[in-house]
Amino acid sequence: MRKNSAAILMAAYNGEKFIGEQIMSIIAQTYKDWVLLIRDDGSTDRTVEIIRDFSRQDERIKLILDENGHLGNCQNFSVLMDHVATSQYIFFSDQDDYWFQDKIKKQVDIISRYGNNPAALYSNYYLADESLKKYRIAYAHKPNEYITILSMENHVMGCTLVINNPLLKIVKEIPCMIDNHDHWIATIAKALDCLQYDREPHICHRVHDNNVTTTRKNLCIANRVQEYFKSMDNTTAWIQKQYLFHKAVGKRIKDWGEENGKIAKCEQVFSGSVKHPVVFCAKNNIRTKNIRRKVYMYYALYQNKKLNKGGMS
């Protein structure tokens, strides 16, 4: 793999309906110096057959099959990152979106300005239906990137994300308890003060019932409310997940980031060892941008304080 090439990582699983159209949008890119690595996560439909057909037509498209079994989306991307150690720019692709022709070129032009310093760039995008009819633009304004907000409530979509090789060396080998590769990468990049935002949309993010992230179901307000009340019964698991996430991020950036102290405060409050967790959060700006989630966070911390007076280990 050429050192200055762009590597595109695609995690595939039962994507026969849309994966061909997404691969075609990558082939049509004006930037030609790329390789597309697709790891299938145990598909039971025609996904592998479709990828093989494309790989026969274009040598830049590589299908990765291994003995690791079904890993899930996050660990699928973690494995893919092990295959691109020498690539200068690493893009992350969903199997069901659609890239505009100049996506790679425009994003490489921006991120290349950072040279050998770690850098991550994410962009705006369009939400679209199955036929790629646009609903709306995702971000009307630049998202709030304060580290203790981003680490709590991710807004960086992996399908818009590109990182450079220096950052790859820091974020690769994602811990198994992490749910989302984009949240992991974005939080570390922000802690290193190298997370950049491109307000121009470069893709259509297709919304359908089988999305890993955004679906028609979770765009519905009634379903969001229902999920919220379900989560109220599982505060211990949520607290544990937040604690493990911030602990893992803190370990990874310990020798790198100037903001690791803020991550450490997040880890501290979710450990259950803080005497007045709500007050601690207010003083240290540990919060979510969503009011409903903020109320839930305070409720969970209160419940956790009652149940776990000794703190987590």
Side-chain angles (χ1 to χ4, degrees):
M1 195 174 295
R2 294 178 298 278
K3 182 177 180 180
N4 293 322
S5 63
I8 306 161
L9 309 183
M10 183 186 293
Y13 179 68
N14 286 348
E16 66 175 2
K17 189 172 183 180
F18 302 116
I19 194 169
E21 195 170 3
Q22 168 63 337
I23 293 173
M24 287 295 293
S25 77
I26 292 171
I27 292 173
Q29 291 293 302
T30 56
Y31 187 99
K32 301 299 183 183
D33 189 14
W34 54 260
V35 60
L36 171 59
L37 303 181
I38 311 173
R39 181 186 177 274
D40 183 74
D41 205 26
S43 296
T44 56
D45 62 3
R46 294 183 58 253
T47 297
V48 171
E49 181 183 342
I50 293 169
I51 299 168
R52 279 199 173 114
D53 286 343
F54 277 105
S55 67
R56 293 187 188 106
Q57 300 170 37
D58 194 322
E59 63 180 7
R60 297 173 297 177
I61 300 171
K62 315 290 184 183
L63 171 63
I64 297 174
L65 297 173
D66 54 40
E67 303 299 323
N68 293 322
H70 182 71
L71 300 176
N73 195 59
C74 184
Q75 285 303 308
N76 197 347
F77 277 114
S78 185
V79 170
L80 280 165
M81 283 194 280
D82 289 335
H83 290 266
V84 290
T86 61
S87 292
Q88 187 60 27
Y89 309 111
I90 299 91
F91 289 78
F92 298 85
S93 170
D94 285 353
Q95 65 184 4
D96 46 12
D97 293 334
Y98 186 87
W99 287 11
F100 302 155
Q101 286 187 330
D102 54 2
K103 169 182 162 58
I104 297 179
K105 182 182 184 303
K106 287 187 174 181
Q107 292 196 298
V108 165
D109 286 346
I110 296 172
I111 199 170
S112 62
R113 300 169 191 167
Y114 296 88
N116 293 323
N117 297 310
L121 175 71
Y122 72 103
S123 76
N124 214 334
Y125 60 95
Y126 290 107
L127 290 164
D129 64 14
E130 292 190 7
S131 62
L132 294 177
K133 180 180 179 181
K134 299 170 185 173
Y135 290 138
R136 59 179 173 83
I137 201 166
Y139 309 129
H141 307 284
K142 181 180 178 180
N144 190 322
E145 291 176 354
Y146 193 81
I147 183 64
T148 54
I149 298 176
L150 177 62
S151 71
M152 290 291 305
E153 187 176 358
N154 184 45
H155 60 261
V156 175
M157 289 290 283
C159 54
T160 73
L161 186 65
V162 55
I163 65 176
N164 65 5
N165 191 271
L167 184 61
L168 172 71
K169 294 173 182 177
I170 303 171
V171 302
K172 68 177 185 176
E173 298 177 4
I174 304 174
C176 61
M177 83 286 290
I178 304 301
D179 288 335
N180 299 296
H181 69 288
D182 44 15
H183 191 198
W184 169 256
I185 294 170
T187 303
I188 291 177
K190 182 58 184 174
L192 298 175
D193 196 26
C194 68
L195 180 64
Q196 306 297 323
Y197 171 64
D198 179 6
R199 67 180 181 178
E200 182 180 354
H202 298 295
I203 75 166
C204 280
H205 178 57
R206 203 186 308 250
V207 179
H208 57 91
D209 290 337
N210 294 322
N211 277 106
V212 173
T213 51
T214 313
T215 68
R216 285 194 293 257
K217 181 179 179 181
N218 62 32
L219 283 175
C220 172
I221 294 177
N223 286 326
R224 289 185 181 186
V225 172
Q226 185 180 24
E227 289 300 314
Y228 167 65
F229 282 108
K230 281 183 182 179
S231 67
M232 295 289 277
D233 296 327
N234 200 19
T235 56
T236 301
W238 186 82
I239 289 287
Q240 176 75 7
K241 182 180 292 186
Q242 294 299 325
Y243 170 71
L244 292 174
F245 176 80
H246 288 92
K247 184 177 182 179
V249 170
K251 283 184 177 180
R252 192 61 62 92
I253 65 172
K254 183 169 60 176
D255 299 325
W256 295 84
E258 296 180 1
E259 303 233 36
N260 58 336
K262 295 174 183 176
I263 291 294
K265 289 184 183 298
C266 291
E267 178 187 338
Q268 184 181 356
V269 75
F270 290 116
S271 72
S273 62
V274 174
K275 187 175 181 180
H276 301 292
V278 174
V279 175
F280 186 87
C281 286
K283 286 183 176 180
N284 293 284
N285 201 22
I286 301 171
R287 59 185 177 89
T288 67
K289 60 182 179 180
N290 183 293
I291 297 299
R292 172 179 59 80
R293 292 176 183 171
K294 185 177 180 180
V295 171
Y296 173 72
M297 182 184 76
Y298 287 163
Y299 171 78
L301 287 168
Y302 173 74
Q303 291 293 101
N304 185 60
K305 187 63 181 176
K306 291 197 305 182
L307 294 172
N308 186 23
K309 292 184 179 180
M312 296 182 185
S313 57

